[in-house]
Amino acid sequence: MAGPKLEVFKFGVYIFTPVMFMVYFGAPEFYDKHVRNSKFWPAQEVVNTRTGIDRQELLYEVERLKQERLARKAAREALSEGKDV
């Protein structure tokens, strides 16, 4: 066995390594240099944030989907009633 000095060294490495990774990668300088300048997201000018649907169109679509769902449910119930007989 190597002794307590080695164990203290290993403990220090185990604690020091993740802390240094968090300090390095969590620093604002790292974010500004590597993340903010990345071209992963499209430019704000070309992003379409408007969906083109107003409130009335949305309410109409919700009502239409509700009616479709109720019609399918009624058809299932009618079909299951026919099988039970």
Side-chain angles (χ1 to χ4, degrees), residues 30-63:
F30 180 85
Y31 181 81
D32 289 338
K33 184 177 180 183
H34 297 286
V35 178
R36 191 169 291 183
N37 293 334
S38 69
K39 302 298 182 208
F40 182 74
W41 302 107
Q44 194 67 20
E45 299 83 33
V46 296
V47 176
N48 183 12
T49 57
R50 173 91 174 108
T51 59
I53 299 176
D54 63 350
R55 181 173 170 76
Q56 290 300 88
E57 291 177 21
L58 189 60
L59 291 174
Y60 172 75
E61 187 67 20
V62 167
E63 188 61 34

Side-chain angles (χ1 to χ4, degrees), residues 61-72:
E61 187 67 20
V62 167
E63 188 61 34
R64 185 185 67 79
L65 292 172
K66 189 184 297 184
Q67 293 300 325
E68 285 181 8
R69 187 184 72 232
L70 290 174
R72 284 193 311 265

